[in-house]
Amino acid sequence: MFFRYLSRELRRRSKQALVVSLGLAVGIGLVVAVSAMATGVQRAQGTVLHSLYGVGTDITVTRAAPEGPARGRFQVGAGNDRQRISRDRVLTSPGQASFDASEADTIAKLDGVSGAVGGLDLSLIHLNGKLPRFTLPSQGAASSGASTAQSSVAVTPGQINVSTSSVSGIDTSNVSIGPLSATELAHGRTFTVSDAKRDVAILDAQFANQKGLAVGDSITIDGTSFTVVGITSPPVQGAGSDIYLPLAKAQALAGVKGRINTVYVKATSSESIATAKRAIMQADPKATVSTSSDLAKQVTGSLSSASNLATKLGTWLSIAALVTAIALATLLTLAAVGRRVREIGTLKAIGWRTRRVVGQVMGETLVLGLIGGALGIGLGIAGAWVVTKVAPSLEATVSSAGGFVGPSGSGPGGNPFSRTIAVALHASVTPALVVTAVGLSLAGGAIAGLFGGWRAARMRPADAIRQVV
Amino acid sequence: MYELNDVTKRYGNGRGSVEALAGVDLTVGDGEFVAIQGPTGQGKSTLLQLLGGMDRQTSGTVTYDGRELGALSEGELTRLRAHEFGFVFQTFNLIPTLSSLENVETALVPLGVHGSERRRRAEEALAEVGLTQRAAHLPGELSGGEQQRTAIARALVKGPRVVLADEPTGNLGQETRDEIVGLLEKLWTTHGVTLIVVTHDDLVATRAARRMRLEAGRVLEDLPMGA
């Protein structure tokens, strides 16, 4: 009787039922789409963060450098003759101080820390080309006077190309933490413990492609030839270093033997990240300790804008739509119950308990809520699909001066002080989101039903007769 | 069965209040057929509501089978209506989305009668009022007389001790009116229920064993049949 009566009532008021269901569907659809987008943005952030400082890394520890020039400088020949040059200079990342490598071992023993490895992030600047040529006047002409001689110097313009690459020194004893852990090996092999003192390198696939290098080839950095043993792909475009070297080799290139500028820390669990951060800050007050959530705050660019859009505007828009839909459903239910005074009064007159009548009204709105929820989930999935299809690739820019130490610089002309990464937005509807949407739609139906039921409960059986007197 | 002492019923408060019943004293015996007549708005339906436990008096006592209805809880009154009282309304008050048979079944829902038993009893009740062929029809597909017969079947299906009918022929034509009055009379005879009918209709009233006239909230006449 309950379901027969319920289905017939809904069919009788099909237009109103449709309005209520569609209203709830729009509200639920918005919640699903916006939440899917927020999840997508969150995942994009996670991808960016992990790609920047490793899947296995929960915390990075750095130290801010005192003001001053970056270590390393070019020593171009002082001669003024035209000359070809091809020089490399390896610099530690500006703004970041190096510290003793033993710090990683100290941190590894702290509370909440599962493992810690040291890393050295460097910038490799390569100059290649011809210096300008200054042609001095002939001897005879020179004797005619200094002023004349000065004006007769001929200058032939040179051409110098500058390219910047990023280099990461990797602790080969543990590659599961740190920047190499975020990458996927495309060819060759990764580092092993025995590589610690070898002249071997792993290259980023795009970088290797640009330079025409493959596994087995050699790359010369500042006069040292490294054998390419592996080619890796970063999880997202623009992430990762161009060149990975064993830590000791990177230290030697930069002239900072036994020193590192980043400690990559893995916490014992996600819950212990805060504990580990506190312990590190206590052990080393000078350190800048950044967790992934700290880093998320430093991310700027369209990814950050999308995150703000999804979490602020999107959330409020969803709440507003949902509240409006539930209010609409409630008002329409109240109006419908109001029109059924005689019917409800009659049922009460013939002995239906108030609880049963309220249950009948609530059952109707719950079914409308479920229909609205199902439609809303469909709308939300469609919305998420559209967002994924039309959303432009998001860009995340992380400043290395903000406490984060990542591989700095990216290819020729890259800014060595920050890193911009492009990541696609995949708005995904998770099972948890579907469950939430069903819950919300049922809650919407229940709220409308409670108000409708409350009105029905207040009706007295005498109303059934009074209507006709 | 019923004993009413100095019963008043007032709607609203203060100056705008209306006194529907103004000191009614009445006794109705078990198995009686009572017709209550009187002009519109003089308290007939109000009296029926008090007798059916659908409303409570402002003062006085309404005693049914030794129980003061005004003192019973809502739950107790609901149980009483479900088990012992059957109602027939002027406008039939059928659920428009349920068939004739399903409408009759609604009266068995609060009694906890389920499934095939509920259906069987509803079919029997419909057969008794001659509506077997129209059992599957919605109220909107039935004539006024058929709708009222459905309503009578709904009142009788639970086997009530009292049937309270509020202008049962008020919305019916002459022929149908005779048919419904005949049906009510037959059911009163065969089922032995106490039948209390509020009516303007002299035809109905003359069939009753006892007639009373209600005016200005008071019982003016209370005459047995043939008086």
Side-chain angles (χ1 to χ4, degrees):
Chain A
M1 178 60 76
F2 176 80
F3 290 106
R4 244 182 304 166
Y5 186 18
L6 186 151
S7 64
R8 304 256 180 91
E9 274 303 316
L10 291 181
R11 242 181 293 167
R12 178 169 69 145
R13 296 182 287 114
S14 56
K15 279 184 190 165
Q16 190 195 332
L18 192 71
V19 169
V20 171
S21 294
L22 284 180
L24 284 171
V26 169
I28 299 289
L30 263 174
V31 169
V32 170
V34 168
S35 301
M37 194 177 141
T39 306
V41 169
Q42 212 170 16
R43 282 185 182 172
Q45 269 183 334
T47 307
V48 167
L49 302 182
H50 280 143
S51 67
L52 287 173
Y53 75 153
V55 175
T57 308
D58 297 314
I59 298 169
T60 56
V61 182
T62 58
R63 279 192 199 169
E67 293 285 327
R71 189 185 171 90
R73 60 194 171 86
F74 286 97
Q75 292 177 332
V76 179
N80 59 358
D81 285 340
R82 183 177 184 184
Q83 54 183 282
R84 294 189 67 85
I85 61 159
S86 177
R87 299 286 171 85
D88 286 337
R89 276 300 173 265
V90 180
L91 300 95
T92 52
S93 298
Q96 290 159 9
S98 63
F99 43 90
D100 198 274
S102 63
E103 179 120 358
D105 299 328
T106 309
I107 289 172
K109 292 169 189 157
L110 295 175
D111 272 356
V113 176
S114 152
V117 295
L120 186 64
D121 295 309
L122 305 169
S123 289
L124 170 64
I125 300 174
H126 181 70
L127 292 181
N128 182 36
K130 291 174 182 172
L131 286 172
R133 182 178 179 184
F134 303 93
T135 309
L136 292 172
S138 64
Q139 205 66 27
S143 63
S144 64
S147 60
T148 312
Q150 197 171 7
S151 61
S152 65
V153 173
V155 180
T156 307
Q159 190 180 359
I160 298 173
N161 297 318
V162 181
S163 63
T164 314
S165 309
S166 53
V167 178
S168 281
I170 302 293
D171 183 343
T172 57
S173 65
N174 186 357
V175 292
S176 66
I177 311 175
L180 202 55
S181 66
T183 63
E184 274 184 36
L185 195 66
H187 301 287
R189 64 173 179 82
T190 188
F191 289 137
T192 60
V193 179
S194 60
D195 288 325
K197 291 181 179 172
R198 288 183 185 158
D199 291 333
V200 288
I202 292 173
L203 304 183
D204 172 73
Q206 196 178 358
F207 177 79
N209 195 37
Q210 277 174 4
K211 303 289 180 189
L213 295 169
V215 172
D217 292 346
S218 293
I219 179 172
T220 303
I221 304 170
D222 203 15
T224 306
S225 177
F226 292 87
T227 305
V228 178
V229 295
I231 305 286
T232 63
S233 298
V236 290
Q237 193 187 351
S241 284
D242 297 322
I243 305 163
Y244 300 93
L245 301 175
L247 181 58
K249 294 294 169 184
Q251 288 167 333
L253 281 176
V256 287
K257 200 173 178 186
R259 298 184 74 79
I260 52 176
N261 60 10
T262 310
V263 178
Y264 298 94
V265 181
K266 183 173 175 57
T268 48
S269 68
S270 57
E271 290 79 25
S272 59
I273 291 175
T275 311
K277 182 180 178 179
R278 270 196 303 275
I280 296 165
M281 288 174 80
Q282 221 163 13
D284 184 358
K286 289 180 189 169
T288 304
V289 184
S290 305
T291 63
S292 53
S293 58
D294 296 332
L295 189 54
K297 291 172 193 159
Q298 297 166 18
V299 173
T300 57
S302 57
L303 176 59
S304 174
S305 306
S307 175
N308 285 335
L309 194 73
T311 53
K312 291 175 185 165
L313 179 65
T315 305
W316 284 111
L317 188 67
S318 304
I319 290 172
L322 200 60
V323 168
T324 307
I326 292 173
L328 176 76
T330 304
L331 287 174
L332 288 174
T333 304
L334 281 172
V337 170
R339 279 195 294 272
R340 291 164 71 186
V341 172
R342 184 187 298 174
E343 186 178 317
I344 290 168
T346 302
L347 290 173
K348 287 188 163 188
I350 64 173
W352 280 42
R353 279 184 285 183
T354 298
R355 201 169 52 192
R356 169 109 202 187
V357 175
V358 171
Q360 196 72 41
V361 173
M362 279 196 74
E364 291 167 17
T365 56
L366 283 175
V367 168
L368 292 183
L370 275 178
I371 294 170
L375 289 173
I377 290 167
L379 277 177
I381 290 171
W385 182 81
V386 170
V387 166
T388 303
K389 286 284 171 198
V390 304
S393 178
L394 298 173
E395 285 190 343
T397 302
V398 183
S399 166
S400 63
F404 167 72
V405 176
S408 54
S410 172
N415 177 359
F417 300 98
S418 65
R419 179 162 209 98
T420 298
I421 293 168
V423 57
L425 175 64
H426 291 285
S428 54
V429 179
T430 59
L433 185 53
V434 171
V435 171
T436 307
V438 171
L440 279 175
S441 59
L442 281 176
I447 290 169
L450 275 176
F451 279 100
W454 169 74
R455 180 157 188 190
R458 289 181 63 208
M459 289 179 184
R460 287 143 33 98
D463 297 332
I465 294 178
R466 201 162 292 144
Q467 281 275 307
V468 297
V469 174
Chain B
M1 176 167 269
Y2 278 110
E3 192 173 332
L4 282 72
N5 289 311
D6 196 21
V7 173
T8 65
K9 177 66 184 176
R10 185 180 292 276
Y11 294 107
N13 294 311
R15 284 186 170 184
S17 69
V18 175
E19 192 169 50
L21 296 177
V24 172
D25 293 304
L26 178 70
T27 304
V28 178
D30 205 356
E32 271 196 294
F33 180 178
V34 181
I36 304 171
Q37 288 187 285
T40 301
Q42 301 297 307
K44 301 189 301 296
S45 293
T46 300
L47 180 60
L48 206 69
Q49 287 165 24
L50 295 184
L51 294 173
M54 290 192 278
D55 209 347
R56 295 171 194 270
Q57 70 275 22
T58 307
S59 65
T61 56
V62 179
T63 309
Y64 167 77
D65 242 9
R67 283 173 285 182
E68 212 296 86
L69 296 186
L72 296 182
S73 68
E74 277 305 318
E76 287 169 324
L77 284 175
T78 301
R79 268 195 297 279
L80 208 58
R81 288 197 302 270
H83 287 87
E84 305 213 5
F85 302 153
F87 296 94
V88 178
F89 305 100
Q90 180 178 352
T91 48
F92 326 128
N93 290 27
L94 299 176
I95 309 300
T97 50
L98 299 180
S99 70
S100 179
L101 183 71
E102 289 161 346
N103 262 286
V104 178
E105 283 187 63
T106 58
L108 297 174
V109 168
L111 303 187
V113 182
H114 297 290
S116 57
E117 170 66 4
R118 188 169 69 201
R119 191 177 179 84
R120 186 189 62 74
R121 283 175 63 176
E123 282 169 347
E124 276 178 14
L126 274 184
E128 200 169 349
V129 298
L131 269 187
T132 301
Q133 301 301 316
R134 311 287 279 167
H137 287 74
L138 294 174
E141 299 163 347
L142 301 174
S143 69
E146 287 170 331
Q147 287 189 58
Q148 195 60 299
R149 280 196 277 165
T150 302
I152 291 169
R154 181 178 64 186
L156 287 170
V157 71
K158 63 175 102 168
R161 289 186 64 199
V162 182
V163 172
L164 301 158
D166 189 10
E167 299 282 7
T169 57
N171 275 17
L172 302 175
Q174 182 64 42
E175 266 184 44
T176 316
R177 199 180 57 154
D178 293 344
E179 177 191 311
I180 293 298
V181 173
L183 183 62
L184 282 173
E185 198 173 21
K186 180 187 142 199
L187 295 173
W188 170 58
T189 314
T190 54
H191 287 265
V193 297
T194 302
L195 180 61
I196 302 174
V197 182
V198 163
T199 183
H200 279 102
D201 194 338
D202 283 337
L203 175 73
V204 180
T206 52
R207 302 281 187 94
R210 183 177 163 201
R211 293 158 62 185
M212 64 179 72
R213 187 164 181 81
L214 200 65
E215 272 191 46
R218 292 174 188 276
V219 176
L220 295 183
E221 300 168 49
D222 185 3
L223 302 170
M225 184 68 178

